[in-house]
Amino acid sequence: MAESIEAPAASSQSSALNPGAKSPGNFRWVICALLLFAAIINYIDRQVIGILKPTLVQTFGWTDERIYSSIVFSFQFAYALGFLVAGRVMDAIGVRRGFALAVTLWSLAAMAHGAAGWVVTWRLPMLNLDANTGFAIVTLTGTAVGLALARFALGLGESGAFPASIKTVAEWFPKKERALATGIFNSGTNVGILVAALMVPWITGHWGWQWAFILTGALGFLWVGLWFAAYRRPDQHPRLKPAELAYIRSDPADPIVKVPWRQLLGFRQTWAFGLGKFMTDPVWWLYLFWIPDFLNRNHGLPLKSMGPPLVVIYLVADIGSIGGGWLSGRFMRLGWSSNRARKTAMLVCALCAVPVVFAAKVSNLSLAVGLLSLAAAAHQGWSANLYTLASDMFPRQAVGSVVGIGGTGGAVGGMLIAMLVGAILQERGSYVLIFIIAGSAYLLALGVIHLLAPRLEPARLA
């Protein structure tokens, strides 16, 4: 990937961005579609437990909110551990094999959730935040143990998804298209939640909650077959036209470097990306795992009525994901620097996230769903640009590792939010403070990113 080939002048815009321009080819968007499909499956598997949370609580008589938060914590803990190595694995063995390995692991783990009901005698202590005494032991029993173990395995597998996807985008797209490509595949996370919102209640109603996990988990094996059939690196792909390869490589050549993982921690750019993830990823985990509970708790929605509000929230989030990526790309096509374009788009998203602070106070369901929809869209637009910062500041060879480091930071933040939300709800029974935290996180994170990377200058790797 170090060689640079000048793109033809007529190919300065892809047909995906400007339909009237002469196209150098569009096969790179087929690869983006595969990433989109992977993200859909990823979030179907991730979201099932959030939708089933009220059902599981009722079925198994969980009276302590910290039981569910501990199960979520086990996913976040494994996700953080996995991110420590996932990016490095993708850089070492390539995304063709690495991504397939990750999807296979998480699909098996997703299906294993359905066997959790067979575990009846184990006991598993989990550390969880207590509002009065700091840290306390919460003991998981029976099905909760099986779910916690399955969530741990799911977290390990899913930790490979975003390092692989961002590395693929860095290999297959020039810089001016990366935010849009990231926004498109990242919109699959919302599609996955929509599909889960429609599938899970229906499957549960007909065959029980175990089959909701088993049938959705099996989808990953279909993707693995498609991935192996369609994916090669750009310079090795028989279906990629020379003109499109030249367009993909039209940016200045990346230096050929091998950077030890620990050395990356010495760069301010790594910390800018990592702290941005640490401060804002937990908000998405909050929406993902707790919105169904919020709708049930504050507005009395049963499982069978959960679908339409979730569909609205995550359809709007899809618009935010693609729109956020498009916005920074539009600014760059107007001649703005990547620094100005990315940070302006992120500021717009951060401001749109603020109104969610009122969501727990409104009594009207439609207004609450509207506030949550805007917040979810704001996060996805923010995330599309935040992920792109890694490929803006680091060469392709290091992107997977940097995204892995940032993902670890985001997962650690997710661990903390899982414990914190459970403790707040156990103590106060209210989402007010929780949404105040969610609404303020992005502006604070943008300030930290700008302080550490004021010009988004590329890291100088030896």
Side-chain angles (χ1 to χ4, degrees):
M1 296 304 296
E3 182 183 359
S4 177
I5 303 175
E6 290 298 324
S11 299
S12 61
Q13 296 288 343
S14 78
S15 63
L17 295 174
N18 185 357
K22 183 179 179 181
S23 171
N26 292 300
F27 189 77
R28 64 195 181 281
W29 298 105
V30 174
I31 301 301
C32 187
L34 284 172
L35 300 181
L36 171 67
F37 188 20
I40 291 171
I41 295 172
N42 183 298
Y43 268 71
I44 290 174
D45 294 339
R46 194 178 301 192
Q47 177 66 359
V48 173
I49 197 169
I51 296 173
L52 289 178
K53 195 255 187 178
T55 300
L56 296 173
V57 168
Q58 181 179 9
T59 301
F60 300 107
W62 297 341
T63 58
D64 191 334
E65 287 289 345
R66 295 172 301 177
I67 294 176
Y68 176 73
S69 67
S70 295
I71 294 171
V72 172
F73 174 91
S74 69
F75 173 90
Q76 299 293 161
F77 181 58
Y79 202 63
L81 291 178
F83 258 122
L84 289 172
V85 298
R88 207 61 172 174
V89 168
M90 298 304 164
D91 285 339
I93 70 174
V95 293
R96 186 170 188 263
R97 289 182 296 166
F99 210 164
L101 177 64
V103 176
T104 299
L105 175 57
W106 93 54
S107 297
L108 290 171
M111 297 177 71
H113 285 67
W118 304 333
V119 181
V120 295
T121 59
W122 295 0
R123 300 291 185 270
L124 180 67
M126 295 288 291
L127 277 177
N128 218 321
L129 184 64
D130 185 276
N132 298 316
T133 62
F135 284 94
I137 292 292
V138 176
T139 300
L140 303 185
T141 63
T143 302
V145 174
L147 289 172
L149 294 174
R151 295 307 285 178
F152 186 88
L154 185 71
L156 287 178
E158 292 201 351
S159 66
F162 277 90
S165 295
I166 297 299
K167 183 175 177 63
T168 301
V169 167
E171 291 182 348
W172 274 86
F173 290 86
K175 285 187 176 181
K176 58 178 167 283
E177 290 184 349
R178 289 178 191 172
L180 177 61
T182 301
I184 289 173
F185 88 70
N186 194 47
S187 70
T189 62
N190 309 309
V191 176
I193 297 170
L194 294 178
V195 173
L198 296 174
M199 288 179 62
V200 171
W202 189 87
I203 294 173
T204 302
H206 284 77
W207 297 306
W209 64 268
Q210 293 94 335
W211 282 101
F213 287 111
I214 293 170
L215 294 178
T216 55
L219 293 173
F221 298 106
L222 172 63
W223 183 90
V224 171
L226 293 174
W227 181 252
F228 272 127
Y231 187 84
R232 301 291 188 280
R233 283 173 43 188
D235 57 345
Q236 299 174 347
H237 209 294
R239 294 183 59 187
L240 189 64
K241 297 177 182 178
E244 188 172 5
L245 177 61
Y247 179 71
I248 291 169
R249 291 179 165 182
S250 59
D251 294 315
D254 287 336
I256 300 177
V257 292
K258 288 187 178 293
V259 185
W261 191 89
R262 288 177 295 177
Q263 184 179 337
L264 290 172
L265 295 176
F267 293 99
R268 291 181 294 106
Q269 292 91 335
T270 304
W271 285 98
F273 178 72
L275 288 175
K277 296 284 287 177
F278 173 78
M279 297 176 70
T280 59
D281 272 18
V283 181
W284 185 245
W285 299 121
L286 165 66
Y287 298 152
L288 184 65
F289 294 133
W290 298 89
I291 280 180
D293 178 71
F294 167 74
L295 295 175
N296 176 261
R297 181 189 299 263
N298 281 44
H299 299 280
L301 262 67
L303 177 63
K304 64 181 180 180
S305 302
M306 200 71 69
L310 292 178
V311 167
V312 171
I313 291 169
Y314 293 107
L315 275 177
V316 176
D318 263 338
I319 297 172
S321 180
I322 298 173
W326 172 87
L327 184 61
S328 64
R330 175 63 176 169
F331 289 151
M332 291 179 71
R333 291 193 297 277
L334 292 174
W336 290 23
S337 68
S338 59
N339 178 56
R340 183 185 178 193
R342 304 285 191 229
K343 289 178 180 174
T344 300
M346 293 171 77
L347 176 60
V348 172
C349 295
L351 292 173
C352 288
V354 173
V356 79
V357 300
F358 302 108
K361 284 289 190 179
V362 301
S363 57
N364 182 274
L365 174 61
S366 297
L367 181 55
V369 169
L371 292 171
L372 290 169
S373 300
L374 179 62
H379 175 88
Q380 291 295 71
W382 164 278
S383 185
N385 284 282
L386 179 59
Y387 270 119
T388 309
L389 297 188
S391 58
D392 286 340
M393 297 186 293
F394 290 90
R396 293 178 178 91
Q397 297 95 329
V399 165
S401 296
V402 173
V403 172
I405 292 171
T408 299
V412 170
M415 291 163 56
L416 297 178
I417 201 72
M419 296 189 295
L420 184 61
V421 171
I424 291 174
L425 291 178
Q426 185 67 22
E427 178 67 18
R428 302 188 179 190
S430 169
Y431 276 88
V432 173
L433 178 59
I434 295 167
F435 285 143
I436 290 174
I437 295 171
S440 60
Y442 299 89
L443 288 173
L444 293 173
L446 183 57
V448 171
I449 290 169
H450 184 68
L451 180 66
L452 291 171
R455 295 182 298 277
L456 294 186
E457 58 274 16
R460 297 184 179 274
L461 305 182

